[in-house]
């Protein structure tokens, strides 16, 4: 069953924290990230919205793991949202 993640966060650049990663660097990349089927990115009003579809939940959890959450907390604090859900036949309709 497919899996969906939606990240909404401020746009930040490489020098914003000790990890030296921009907001987009915190996101998985199609063709490189295991199990990532598609990624859609939108920037509006200095906010980044990234919608990812995965083959399954386990693949998404390889990216959005404990280390990712630690980086997100340092980078954005409470100013981000990450939504994770299963895509079933009813939600795709």
């Amino acid at each position: 069953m497919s899996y969906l993640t939606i990240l909404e966060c401020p746009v930040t650049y490489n020098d914003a924290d000790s990890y030296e990663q921009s907001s987009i660097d915190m996101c998985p990349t199609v063709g490189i990230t295991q199990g990532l089927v598609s990624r859609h990115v939108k920037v509006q009003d200095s906010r980044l919205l990234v919608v990812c579809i995965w083959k399954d939940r386990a693949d998404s959890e390889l990216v959005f793991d404990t280390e990712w959450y630690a980086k997100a907390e340092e980078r954005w604090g409470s100013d981000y949202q990450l939504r994770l859900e299963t895509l079933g036949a009813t939600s795709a309709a």
Side-chain angles (χ1 to χ4, degrees):
M1 187 163 302
S2 297
Y3 199 69
L4 173 74
T5 58
I6 301 171
L7 172 64
E8 194 251 325
C9 64
V11 173
T12 56
Y13 300 95
N14 294 5
D15 60 352
D17 64 28
S18 62
Y19 296 106
E20 297 183 357
Q21 290 183 311
S22 67
S23 293
I24 201 69
D25 292 336
M26 295 280 291
C27 302
T29 304
V30 174
I32 296 175
T33 306
Q34 173 184 321
L36 183 61
V37 175
S38 67
R39 178 182 88 168
H40 308 275
V41 178
K42 180 178 181 178
V43 177
Q44 183 174 356
D45 299 327
S46 298
R47 306 274 307 164
L48 184 68
L49 179 66
V50 182
V51 177
C52 298
I53 299 174
W54 304 84
K55 289 182 181 176
D56 59 43
R57 181 182 183 121
D59 289 326
S60 71
E61 289 174 344
L62 291 174
V63 173
F64 299 108
D65 60 3
T66 305
E67 182 181 345
W68 186 92
Y69 281 98
K71 289 177 182 181
E73 180 64 30
E74 181 178 336
R75 174 165 292 284
W76 304 306
S78 63
D79 198 20
Y80 81 96
Q81 294 179 351
L82 180 62
R83 190 171 103 196
L84 311 127
E85 65 182 58
T86 302
L87 284 175
T90 56
S91 65

